[in-house]
Amino acid sequence: MIPADMGLSWKEVLYLTFMAGFVWFELKAIRRDIARLDKKVEKHNNFDRRIIRLETLAEVQEQHNAEIQ
């Protein structure tokens, strides 16, 4: 099947091909950005978990010190 059978010129076919390639590369860039943001979120979540552990440890030590006195 050639483009003329579908009522398209070769210029339109090339344009559609270019646009499909452009959309593909934009989606690829979006996927890369999402992966980068996921890394940042995970780093932030790890930081939050460390803070919670330290706060819990401090509370447990305070309770232990209060029980001793």
Side-chain angles (χ1 to χ4, degrees):
M1 181 179 267
I2 59 173
D5 292 342
M6 298 182 346
L8 297 172
S9 69
W10 285 106
K11 186 177 181 180
E12 291 170 329
V13 171
L14 290 175
Y15 177 74
L16 291 173
T17 304
F18 172 77
M19 290 306 294
F22 180 77
V23 169
W24 173 260
F25 285 114
E26 285 298 314
L27 289 174
K28 191 174 180 181
I30 290 170
R31 281 186 250 136
R32 188 176 357 117
D33 290 343
I34 289 172
R36 183 178 53 84
L37 290 174
D38 283 343
K39 266 188 198 178
K40 284 185 177 183
V41 166
E42 185 58 33
K43 183 178 179 181
H44 181 74
N45 288 343
N46 285 337
F47 185 69
D48 284 347
R49 285 191 286 267
R50 287 175 37 202
I51 290 173
I52 290 171
R53 272 188 257 145
L54 290 173
E55 288 173 345
T56 305
L57 179 62
E59 288 175 7
V60 168
Q61 286 177 347
E62 286 176 9
Q63 289 175 357
H64 180 69
N65 290 340
E67 290 173 1
I68 291 175
Q69 295 175 354

